[in-house]
Amino acid sequence: MSSIRPLHDRIVVRRADEETKSAGGIVIPDSATKEKPIRGKVIAVGSGKQLDNGQVRALEVKVGDEVVFGKYAGTEVKLGNEELTVMREDDILGIIN
């Protein structure tokens, strides 16, 4: 399998599986239009954000963190048979504890 190493302040996220049940317990059929999950697990991080003075600020997220991000954040890439999302750290709304 191929791997990807993000550059600078970018991270690679594996989106969580799509929900098959609603919050009320109703099963959502495959034929229904499902929204993309807005949470996922960080599987790779870049070296950090380059500041205007030339220094590099380390990223706050790390591999293994579960994060929440915008619905349309990042760029979808396919490596082998796996779909991943590459985004900037700024696209992350929060880290789930």
Side-chain angles (χ1 to χ4, degrees):
M1 177 174 154
S2 302
S3 64
I4 186 168
R5 182 177 56 92
L7 300 176
H8 307 296
D9 66 334
R10 289 181 175 80
I11 63 168
V12 179
V13 174
R14 180 180 295 122
R15 286 187 188 258
D17 293 331
E18 295 180 36
E19 293 294 322
T20 57
K21 277 190 180 180
S22 70
I26 298 172
V27 176
I28 302 170
D30 288 337
S31 60
T33 305
K34 296 181 185 176
E35 292 185 11
K36 288 182 176 181
I38 57 169
R39 59 193 293 176
K41 190 171 197 170
V42 177
I43 61 168
V45 296
S47 58
K49 182 171 183 153
Q50 180 108 23
L51 303 175
D52 292 336
N53 63 6
Q55 294 180 333
V56 176
R57 179 184 56 83
L59 301 180
E60 289 188 43
V61 296
K62 59 187 179 302
V63 174
D65 283 349
E66 191 171 343
V67 294
V68 177
F69 45 88
K71 191 180 294 187
Y72 302 106
T75 302
E76 301 287 325
V77 295
K78 187 166 186 170
L79 287 177
N81 60 357
E82 186 172 29
E83 291 191 22
L84 303 171
T85 304
V86 179
M87 64 181 73
R88 291 188 179 274
E89 185 185 39
D90 294 344
D91 293 335
I92 294 178
L93 304 175
I95 300 171
I96 299 171
N97 293 328

